[in-house]
């Protein structure tokens, strides 16, 4: 197996890696496994050689190997530019900070 790309996810109990690898015949697959986190090339090789097969459709989405247009995550709209009618909102750089006098 020849590893091509890898992604890492840290959890409370360890590190999970997903590796995109190519075998000697030119077939590519995704593999998932647990890593020790001490030496990245060794972790990648271990996951590529003895990891569990990961679904190709999910791996393509995760690694960005899809032709679908990007969509907002969970339906959250993206803000292209600041609306002009947002006069109430003042950026922190221009906001004056004043102290109120202490009451005796």
């Amino acid at each position: 197996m020849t590893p091509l790309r890898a992604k890492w996810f840290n959890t409370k109990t360890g590190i999970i890696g997903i590796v995109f690898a190519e075998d000697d015949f030119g077939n590519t697959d995704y593999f998932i496994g647990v890593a020790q986190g001490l030496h990245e090339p060794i972790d990648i090789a271990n996951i590529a050689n003895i990891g569990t097969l990961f679904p190709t459709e999910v791996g393509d989405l995760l690694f960005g190997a899809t032709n679908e247009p990007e969509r907002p995550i969970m339906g959250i709209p993206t803000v292209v530019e600041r609306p002009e009618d947002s006069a109430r909102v003042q950026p922190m750089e221009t906001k004056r900070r004043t102290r109120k006098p202490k009451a005796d």
Side-chain angles (χ1 to χ4, degrees), residues 37-53:
L38 299 176
H39 194 59
E40 186 176 17
I42 292 174
D43 290 338
I44 290 173
N46 286 340
I47 292 172
N49 290 318
I50 60 173
T52 304
L53 197 60

Side-chain angles (χ1 to χ4, degrees), residues 48-69:
N49 290 318
I50 60 173
T52 304
L53 197 60
F54 193 70
T56 304
E57 299 83 16
V58 179
D60 286 344
L61 288 172
L62 186 65
F63 281 82
T66 181
N67 293 329
E68 292 183 16

Side-chain angles (χ1 to χ4, degrees), residues 1-103:
M1 286 292 201
T2 305
L4 302 174
R5 293 175 67 192
K7 286 203 179 275
W8 303 102
F9 300 94
N10 295 324
T11 67
K12 290 192 293 187
T13 58
I15 300 170
I16 298 171
I18 300 175
V19 176
F20 180 59
E22 181 179 25
D23 64 7
D24 297 335
F25 303 107
N27 300 324
T28 56
D29 284 314
Y30 296 95
F31 298 93
I32 188 168
V34 179
Q36 293 178 350
L38 299 176
H39 194 59
E40 186 176 17
I42 292 174
D43 290 338
I44 290 173
N46 286 340
I47 292 172
N49 290 318
I50 60 173
T52 304
L53 197 60
F54 193 70
T56 304
E57 299 83 16
V58 179
D60 286 344
L61 288 172
L62 186 65
F63 281 82
T66 181
N67 293 329
E68 292 183 16
E70 288 189 27
R71 289 176 278 164
I73 298 173
M74 296 181 2
I76 300 171
T78 56
V79 178
V80 178
E81 63 183 59
R82 186 177 174 161
E84 298 210 10
D85 61 344
S86 61
R88 298 182 326 201
V89 180
Q90 189 175 22
M92 288 299 292
E93 328 50 84
T94 60
K95 189 174 183 180
R96 289 189 175 182
R97 298 179 185 200
T98 57
R99 285 191 176 178
K100 293 182 181 178
K102 291 184 179 180

